[in-house]
C-alpha cells in the first residue's frame, strides 16, 4: 500500500511541555489560537470521535475523526478512513517534545495511505501543510503569551 506524508518543521515554544499540553488538549480555546481548526470537540479518549471544523483552502469543512493515540504530554493523534482503509486512511499526529525545563517543540505529521493518497496529497497537500504550520505558529504565540502572563503573576486560565 502506498504511503504519503505531510510534515511540518519543529517549532520551538518558550513554555513548559505540560503547560503547552494543557492548551493543546483544551479544545474550548482552539478558536483563540488555531486558525486551521478553529473549532473542535472531543474528550481525547481512544476510540472517541473528534468533531473538527478545519480550514481547507478558501473554505472550511466539518470532519469527524477518531482519537487513536494520546500519550500525555507528548502525542495526540486522530484518524479517518474515507471509504475503506484501502481507499484512504489519514492519521494526523501532533507531537510535543521537551527541550528544557521551560521549553518544548511542536510539530505535525499527517500520514496518508491507500489508493487515493497521491491524489489527495496532490490536491490538498499544500493546504494541509499551511494549515498545520499555522496551527503550530498559533500554539506557539498563544502558549508563550499565556505562560508570560502566569509568570507575571496571572493565573493559568486560558482566556
Amino acid at each position: 500500500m502506498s504511503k504519503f506524508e505531510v510534515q511540518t518543521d519543529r517549532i520551538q515554544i518558550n513554555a513548559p511541555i505540560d503547560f503547552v499540553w494543557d492548551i493543546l488538549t483544551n479544545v474550548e480555546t482552539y478558536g483563540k489560537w488555531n486558525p486551521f481548526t478553529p473549532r473542535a470537540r472531543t474528550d481525547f479518549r481512544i476510540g472517541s470521535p473528534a468533531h473538527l471544523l478545519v480550514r481547507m483552502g478558501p473554505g472550511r469543512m466539518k470532519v469527524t475523526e477518531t482519537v487513536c493515540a494520546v500519550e500525555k504530554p507528548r502525542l495526540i493523534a486522530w484518524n479517518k478512513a474515507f471509504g475503506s482503509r484501502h481507499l484512504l486512511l489519514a492519521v494526523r499526529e501532533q507531537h510535543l517534545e521537551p527541550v528544557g525545563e521551560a521549553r518544548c517543540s511542536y510539530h505535525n505529521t499527517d500520514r496518508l495511505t491507500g489508493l487515493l493518497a497521491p491524489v489527495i496529497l496532490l490536491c490538498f497537500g499544500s493546504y494541509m501543510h499551511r494549515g498545520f504550520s499555522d496551527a503550530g505558529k498559533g500554539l506557539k504565540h498563544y502558549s508563550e503569551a499565556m505562560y508570560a502572563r502566569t509568570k507575571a503573576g496571572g493565573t493559568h486560565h486560558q482566556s
Side-chain angles (χ1 to χ4, degrees):
M1 201 180 315
S2 299
K3 185 176 180 180
F4 299 86
E5 190 170 274
V6 175
Q7 187 166 24
T8 60
D9 293 334
R10 282 173 170 73
I11 293 176
Q12 299 295 311
I13 301 175
N14 295 312
I17 191 170
D18 289 321
F19 188 90
V20 179
W21 175 265
D22 287 347
I23 292 170
L24 187 60
T25 57
N26 182 354
V27 293
E28 307 277 323
T29 64
Y30 271 35
K32 295 180 181 181
W33 63 266
N34 192 336
F36 180 65
T37 309
R39 195 166 61 225
R41 196 174 74 243
T42 188
D43 61 13
F44 291 106
R45 289 195 318 247
I46 303 297
S48 292
H51 303 284
L52 312 169
L53 178 66
V54 297
R55 185 188 77 204
M56 192 61 71
R60 293 181 176 182
M61 58 192 256
K62 292 180 182 179
V63 180
T64 299
E65 303 200 8
T66 302
V67 176
C68 60
V70 177
E71 299 171 12
K72 183 181 180 182
R74 295 176 174 261
L75 172 70
I76 295 170
W78 39 64
N79 65 26
K80 178 157 182 76
F82 295 84
S84 77
R85 296 172 80 88
H86 298 292
L87 198 56
L88 180 65
L89 176 66
V91 180
R92 179 177 179 204
E93 298 177 346
Q94 297 180 80
H95 297 268
L96 288 173
E97 298 168 0
V99 175
E101 199 170 301
R103 290 184 62 192
C104 63
S105 70
Y106 171 84
H107 73 277
N108 278 271
T109 303
D110 200 343
R111 288 184 191 85
L112 305 172
T113 56
L115 297 172
L116 292 179
V119 175
I120 296 302
L121 194 61
L122 181 65
C123 294
F124 298 103
S126 63
Y127 294 133
M128 293 163 65
H129 189 271
R130 185 191 71 204
F132 298 157
S133 294
D134 289 349
K137 291 173 194 169
L139 181 62
K140 172 186 174 58
H141 296 303
Y142 187 76
S143 297
E144 290 176 353
M146 296 304 294
Y147 186 61
R149 187 189 289 178
T150 62
K151 283 178 32 180
T155 59
H156 182 134
H157 293 77
Q158 297 172 18
S159 51

